[in-house]
Amino acid sequence: MLRFFNLFILLFAGQVWAEVKINDATVRLLPPGVPNTAAYFSIENNSDKDLVLVAAKADFVNKAEIHNHLMIDNMMSMQQQAEVVVPAGETIDFKPSGLHIMLFGLKQVLSEDQTVALSLQTKSGEVINFTAKVARPQTHAHH
């Protein structure tokens, strides 16, 4: 009976998180000695309930926080966010100059194409684990 219950819990948990997808996750590769970086991705909420993100975590840094760039008094400012709502049926992009995960105090030197683990915590206490590829910042092509 206990095995059946454990199987049910595993299947149910898989079903819940099948409704939330993290796509195109990257961590920005910066020059050696730069202690902080950022993570970018899109989060897709295919459920019928809003998803409220309240925290981020990554073991390869001292601290991870959800941040957003905001225009305040004609100046761009980066601010920590207490929560980010991903509405039911929608996708939110975490990208440069917008929402992103700020990663403070790298514990190790990152290398291009390395895969690192991160997680997001929801207001209801669930944890969304995902991996991101370390990549150089994209450059803009000039025509």
Side-chain angles (χ1 to χ4, degrees):
M1 185 65 171
L2 184 57
R3 284 185 188 160
F4 176 75
F5 179 74
N6 287 341
L7 179 61
F8 174 77
I9 293 299
L10 285 173
L11 290 174
F12 178 73
Q15 176 100 15
V16 169
W17 295 119
E19 295 177 344
V20 176
K21 292 182 183 176
I22 304 288
N23 298 308
D24 304 318
T26 60
V27 168
R28 181 177 280 186
L29 177 66
L30 295 176
V34 177
N36 306 326
T37 189
Y40 308 109
F41 53 90
S42 64
I43 181 166
E44 187 178 337
N45 180 4
N46 294 313
S47 75
D48 59 358
K49 295 179 184 169
D50 289 353
L51 181 69
V52 182
L53 305 175
V54 295
K57 185 177 180 190
D59 289 339
F60 62 95
V61 294
N62 291 323
K63 181 171 55 171
E65 297 176 350
I66 301 171
H67 280 225
N68 197 3
H69 280 100
L70 303 169
M71 187 65 77
I72 299 173
D73 295 328
N74 292 324
M75 292 191 62
M76 190 61 81
S77 173
M78 184 176 66
Q79 295 186 349
Q80 183 177 0
Q81 304 296 291
E83 63 182 38
V84 171
V85 177
V86 183
E90 293 192 23
T91 298
I92 299 287
D93 292 323
F94 282 64
K95 60 187 177 185
S97 299
L99 286 166
H100 58 282
I101 304 300
M102 195 66 209
L103 302 166
F104 296 101
L106 287 169
K107 294 179 181 178
Q108 64 191 49
V109 174
L110 300 179
S111 57
E112 192 168 9
D113 295 326
Q114 178 181 352
T115 300
V116 292
L118 299 100
S119 64
L120 298 168
Q121 183 174 347
T122 69
K123 193 171 193 173
S124 57
E126 290 94 5
V127 175
I128 303 166
N129 294 306
F130 64 101
T131 59
K133 184 177 178 181
V134 177
R136 293 182 186 280
Q138 293 186 354
T139 57
H140 298 287
H142 295 282
H143 300 285

PDB file of all heavy atoms in Angstrom, residues 59 98 125:
ATOM      1  N   ASP A  59      23.216  26.842  -5.907  1.00  0.00           N
ATOM      2  CA  ASP A  59      24.295  26.445  -5.002  1.00  0.00           C
ATOM      3  C   ASP A  59      25.662  26.986  -5.404  1.00  0.00           C
ATOM      4  O   ASP A  59      26.575  26.993  -4.594  1.00  0.00           O
ATOM      5  CB  ASP A  59      24.367  24.915  -4.901  1.00  0.00           C
ATOM      6  CG  ASP A  59      23.185  24.344  -4.136  1.00  0.00           C
ATOM      7  OD1 ASP A  59      22.554  25.098  -3.357  1.00  0.00           O
ATOM      8  OD2 ASP A  59      22.891  23.146  -4.311  1.00  0.00           O
ATOM      9  N   GLY A  98      15.244  43.487 -18.014  1.00  0.00           N
ATOM     10  CA  GLY A  98      13.910  43.181 -17.511  1.00  0.00           C
ATOM     11  C   GLY A  98      14.027  42.293 -16.285  1.00  0.00           C
ATOM     12  O   GLY A  98      14.988  42.388 -15.524  1.00  0.00           O
ATOM     13  N   GLY A 125       5.065  27.173  -1.712  1.00  0.00           N
ATOM     14  CA  GLY A 125       6.117  26.317  -1.173  1.00  0.00           C
ATOM     15  C   GLY A 125       6.704  25.301  -2.126  1.00  0.00           C
ATOM     16  O   GLY A 125       7.655  24.610  -1.773  1.00  0.00           O
TER      17      GLY A 125
END
